[in-house]
Amino acid sequence: MARFELHDANFGTAMGESLSLGDTLFAMGLRLAGDAAQVVSAHMYFNLADRMGVEGAAFHRQDMTAQMTKAQISRAQRAAREWLARN
């Protein structure tokens, strides 16, 4: 997983526009959501984006949850907590 330094509010760019950390995490979730092997990571990114107030992240996280086992959901939640502890 990537590590982001939090002193700068802008983390990514899309078509020349700066994105907030939450929007960047949301974009990462969208990118991974279509890959069945990446559902845990996608859920984690949507979870983090939702915590940062990104509109639509909760909807996408719930959509991912419908496709996942309880073990996968637990892994995604654990990964999100670990990401928050490190970043």
Side-chain angles (χ1 to χ4, degrees):
M1 270 181 271
R3 178 174 171 84
F4 297 100
E5 296 299 327
L6 298 178
H7 13 158
D8 185 0
N10 297 319
F11 290 88
T13 59
M15 293 189 257
E17 282 186 45
S18 294
L19 297 176
S20 69
L21 176 58
D23 289 331
T24 300
L25 294 169
F26 181 68
M28 291 170 74
L30 287 175
R31 192 167 145 203
L32 296 174
D35 184 350
Q38 297 292 333
V39 293
V40 171
S41 294
H43 185 284
M44 178 198 71
Y45 288 125
F46 288 139
N47 193 10
L48 293 168
D50 182 44
R51 286 184 54 109
M52 296 179 186
V54 176
E55 193 172 324
F59 170 79
H60 286 284
R61 185 187 64 223
Q62 290 171 341
D63 190 40
M64 295 299 304
T65 300
Q67 306 168 34
M68 298 169 69
T69 65
K70 288 182 183 183
Q72 288 174 314
I73 295 166
S74 293
R75 283 199 331 259
Q77 291 171 338
R78 187 177 325 109
R81 285 191 301 272
E82 290 170 359
W83 189 94
L84 288 169
R86 284 192 313 268
N87 295 285

